Structure formats: structure tokens, C-alpha cells
Amino acid sequence: MAPRTPRPVVTVDVKKKTWEQPTPLHNRWHPEIPPVGEVKEGELFRVETVDWTGGQILDDDSAEDMKHIDLTMVHNLSGPIRVTDTSGLPAMPGDLLMVEICNLGPLPGDEWGFTGIFDRENGGGFLTDHFPAASKAIWHFDGIFASSRHIPGVRFPGLIHPGLIGTAPSKELLDIWNAREKALVEEGEKSVTLGKHLHTRPLALLPGAKGALLGKVESGTMDWERIAVEAARTIPGRENGGNCDIKNLSHGCKVYFPVFVEGANLSMGDMHFSQGDGEVSFCGAIEMSGFLELRCEILRGGMEQYLTPMGPTKLHVNPIFEIGPLEPRFSEWLVFEGLSVDESGKQHYLDASIAYKRAVLNCIDYLSKFGYTKEQVYLLLSCCPCEGRISGIVDVPNACATLAIPIRIFDQDIRPKKGGPLAGPRLVKRGGVPTSSYDGHLPTTLNHAFAM
């Protein structure tokens, strides 16, 4: 029987800078970033992580750190970890790597986290045209529950998970990523319908040496310089898994990752105490440092056996996962609908992103009637255990998306009632979140229903 005490493979010190960590971290994807440790299948092992910003956000009442954050330095990942079978043979390209999440949580002694809105010209977010100024909320943990001095009257259990976990790409897959994302940037915003309606900037984050952490690759060498300009940014999820921000990757979950390089080179980070579907404010979960206790299994030849490529090569596959048995349970929900009609009244064709944006805006405006600022609600919907759905994607021309929020996370009844919101006996002003000024010049979106 495998030992029950997990073997430490990666340890971190949250008091140190990311480049001073006892085990080197990385924030780029590249097949030549060397492993920092090795595990055998069936072995229980432990990995510690810093928060995704590498300690740039402070537990205080100012949003200036959120406004001026250096996003070239994220995500700060622990790994890569080489995986072998019990005889010492490594996972090989074409295998599947099953990763079981046996346990996870906040890093002991660092039990707090943050949710943020980035400045529109430094990160933005799903509603960046409505919320151009940086804001943040600090959360503290009491066992399984989170509460915030910046969003009072709300308390909920966390579904802790890694926002980012994945295997290393091969050189061929890395080249595919960089080529298709470069083409998107070169085509420009006007060629992409959603680019101008979601107001996101940039369209993709291309490789760049600024802010790069490359693990055990020696800084200042020719290899470091070459890898830094080839390595993919970790912001989007891709065929290797990566930053998919799936809140259900929690206790007891099993993820089946495609293997593209010898040893699989598994990496992880971006730990979340809780997240809502969509993580709409971008820095939108309750971000924290944390730990994971994992166990792996290699399924030889599993990619061809279980994954069907949806693209021009055998590399165009995606992971699959089993949801674990433990998650918060709620029996009462308030659900908000959204259709694919934007704030100007323009009709879009079966556009689920526009529909989800409308559902989120509808919910923000509704909950602001109960004593909260719109910034507070935007942050809350990004990190509380709300449920997003594509409810209809065939009824032309309107896609329908829904956002369900659990009623019991509030200390007041938020359901509609006779007499309006003022009929609620506990309705009080809920203060506000730290917010900085927006000094940029990009246009913002206001409409009569949503304006303050």
C-alpha cells in the first residue's frame, strides 16, 4: 500500500519573492522547462503554490496594487513534475495522465485571499466597459467559510480548486498555439465580432521575455533568451488543460490529461478558495496561496483510445475529468436570464457570450437594489458559488444564458416581494470596496438601466 503521508515535492515561502522560492517557479509553457521533481504513479505527493500574482496583492484597503499589477509575471506555477510508472519508465507522448486531487486547501498560516477588478487598460475583464476602474475585496477564511469586510452580509463555503493545472506542450503543439494566437492578433479587433462587444484588450497574449519565470532554466543564458520568446503565456486554457478555471476540480476529482512530452511535466497553481462560473472579473476567484495532495496514474496509449481530435492534428484534444463527491449544496436559487442582445439593443446571432454578459448585468443591477454597490456585486458574482449555464443555443436568433445565485449566502432575503426591496427588514447600505481612479481614455458603456 502507498504511504498515507504525502511526500513534499514543491514547497513555497509566501514571504519570499517568486524568484527567491526554494523550488524555482515558472509562468510560461515550454517543453524545455526542466522538471523540478519526479513522482511515481500511485505515490501520494504534496505541492505548495503561491497566489497567481506572486504576492503582488496586499491584505489592505487600497486598490492601487490591483491598478498597477504587473500581469507579465503571472501565473506563478509549481512544477513541472515528471511522472513515471512504478518501474521508472516515464509517461510518454500519446499517454493519458490521470491526476487525482486527494486533498487541497489554503497554505497553512496564510488563510486569506482576494478578488479583484483590473483597470481597463491593464487587464480589464468581462465587464470592463462597465467597470473600468480597479477594485478589490479581501476575504478571510473560517474553516470552510469565507467572508469579507469589503462585502459584508455575505458568507459562503468554498469549493477549493486549482484554477490552473496541466501538462507541458510539445514543440509542435507550442508552435500551433503561437501561430493561431498570432493570427488572431494580426487580424485585429474589427475582424472578431466579440472583440468590439466585449471590449477585451488584447485579443491574445503573445510570447514575451518581460516578466518571464522559466524555472530551472538558467537566467542570462542563450537558452533562457530563446525559450523566453518562444514560451506561451499561461493566461488561456488550451489542449494541455492549463488555466481553465473549472471550479469543480476539487476534493476527489480525477482529471485525465493528454501527455505531449516525456514525463508529462505536470504543473499547477492559481489556487482558488471559491469561484463563480465564468470568473467574470478576471481576477475573479478568491485567489490564494495553497497546497494540493495528488496521486497520478499513467494510461498507456490513452490519447488515441479515449480522446478524439477536433482539429487538423492528433494534438487537437482536450482533457476530461470526473467531478469529486464533495461540494457545497444549496437548495434555493435566484436565476437571471440573458439573451444575445447587447446594451445598445443590437441583435446578435446565437452569441452565448453576449447572452451571459446580459445575465450578469441583470443580476448586478438587481442585487444593487439591496444595499450593495455594483462593484461589490460584480466581485461577488465572480467568486461566490454561483452557477452559469448555456440554457438555449438553437432558438434563432437568441442564445439564452442563465446565472443562478444561491439565496442563502446573504443575510437578508433577496427574493422579489410585495412592497419592493425596502420591505426587507434588514436592508442596509453595505459600504463599498477599495476602488482606484480610472485615468484611461477608452470609451465606457452606460445605459439608463445600469447607470448609477
Side-chain angles (χ1 to χ4, degrees), residues 256-302:
Y256 299 84
F257 291 106
V259 175
F260 301 104
V261 300
E262 181 179 311
N265 285 3
L266 178 71
S267 297
M268 65 209 72
D270 188 27
M271 289 292 291
H272 298 164
F273 189 84
S274 176
Q275 181 201 299
D277 285 336
E279 198 187 13
V280 287
S281 77
F282 185 14
C283 186
I286 299 182
E287 311 286 350
M288 66 175 192
S289 63
F291 74 92
L292 302 101
E293 295 174 357
L294 308 169
R295 185 181 287 114
C296 295
E297 181 180 340
I298 300 170
L299 282 65
R300 297 295 184 187

Side-chain angles (χ1 to χ4, degrees), residues 18 26-28 52-53 56 68-76 118 122-123 205-214 224 228 232-235 282:
T18 52
H26 68 103
N27 60 12
R28 301 290 193 271
W52 80 298
T53 74
Q56 294 187 65
H68 299 292
I69 188 172
D70 184 352
L71 291 174
T72 67
M73 298 178 65
V74 300
H75 299 85
N76 290 265
F118 289 135
N122 186 29
L205 294 161
L206 302 182
K210 185 179 185 299
L213 291 174
L214 301 180
W224 194 98
R233 296 295 305 275
T234 58
I235 295 300
F282 185 14

Side-chain angles (χ1 to χ4, degrees), residues 153 370-372 407 410-414 421 424 426-428 430:
F370 291 82
Y372 293 100
I407 292 172
F410 297 93
D411 67 354
Q412 60 177 314
D413 188 351
I414 61 166
R426 302 190 64 185
L427 178 64
V428 294
R430 300 293 183 170

